């Protein structure tokens, strides 16, 4: 098995086809049904980090942020063939390394036990479990 490489992406990476293939592999049809939206989302991200094995895109994490007070972890995805191998942990470590001193690190994810365990293991707390109490609101249009 070739070496895993995790790095902050240059502006042109990942390309449209490989990004669509990765999003399709994890079943994120909200992006794959509108490829032009995915391309704009990646281009408009504050940071994008990619994981590659043998040159193949196997994972991606991206953020939106003001770079000073808040970072929203928008997408964290790992190809099914690479899941449970530490790829997601490496992606988030590299992504968050670009936000020293940023206090609020926020994400929305699926309501699955695997996601909860993964993010709690990385020090995240579900908003309703936070002390002091917090509220979180979301609106999807």
């Amino acid at each position: 098995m070739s070496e895993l490489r995790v790095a902050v992406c240059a502006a042109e990476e990942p390309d449209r086809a490989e990004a669509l293939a990765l999003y399709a592999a994890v079943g994120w049809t909200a992006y794959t049904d509108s490829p032009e939206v995915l391309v704009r989302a990646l281009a408009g991200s504050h940071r994008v980090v990619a994981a590659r094995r043998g040159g193949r895109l196997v994972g991606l994490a991206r953020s939106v942020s003001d770079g000073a007070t808040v970072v929203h972890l928008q997408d964290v995805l790992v190809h099914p063939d690479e899941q449970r191998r530490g790829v997601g942990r490496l992606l988030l470590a590299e992504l968050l390394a670009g936000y020293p001193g940023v206090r609020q690190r926020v994400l929305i994810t699926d309501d699955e036990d695997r996601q909860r365990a993964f993010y709690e293991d990385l020090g995240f707390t579900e908003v309703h479990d936070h002390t002091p109490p917090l509220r979180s609101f979301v609106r999807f249009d």
Side-chain angles (χ1 to χ4, degrees):
M1 182 173 291
S2 61
E3 181 181 351
L4 180 68
R5 185 176 67 87
V6 175
V8 176
C9 291
E12 70 279 0
E13 293 184 66
D15 72 27
R16 176 185 170 125
E18 68 181 348
L20 281 168
L22 179 60
Y23 279 77
V26 297
W28 288 13
T29 58
Y31 291 104
T32 58
D33 288 348
S34 300
E36 67 286 347
V37 172
L38 175 58
V39 170
R40 283 193 350 248
L42 289 170
S45 298
H46 193 249
R47 286 174 61 87
V48 177
V49 177
R52 296 180 180 279
R53 188 178 303 279
R56 176 178 165 245
L57 183 67
V58 297
L60 183 140
R62 69 183 189 95
S63 61
V64 292
S65 178
D66 62 13
T69 63
V70 62
V71 57
H72 183 94
L73 308 176
Q74 180 56 34
D75 294 343
V76 179
L77 60 157
V78 175
H79 192 283
D81 296 345
E82 294 282 342
Q83 290 177 2
R84 306 199 59 83
R85 293 183 174 177
V87 176
R89 180 178 300 277
L90 291 171
L91 284 167
L92 280 178
E94 184 64 33
L95 186 71
L96 293 174
Y99 298 101
V102 173
R103 191 171 68 89
Q104 291 182 52
R105 298 165 181 222
V106 180
L107 69 101
I108 297 172
T109 190
D110 296 329
D111 184 19
E112 295 179 9
D113 290 340
R114 278 182 44 192
Q115 266 78 354
R116 181 178 179 134
F118 175 73
Y119 289 111
E120 284 181 344
D121 194 47
L122 294 171
F124 287 85
T125 303
E126 280 205 65
V127 71
H128 60 78
D129 293 337
H130 191 272
T131 304
L134 296 173
R135 287 197 174 147
S136 178
F137 299 91
V138 64
R139 176 179 161 175
F140 287 92
D141 291 330

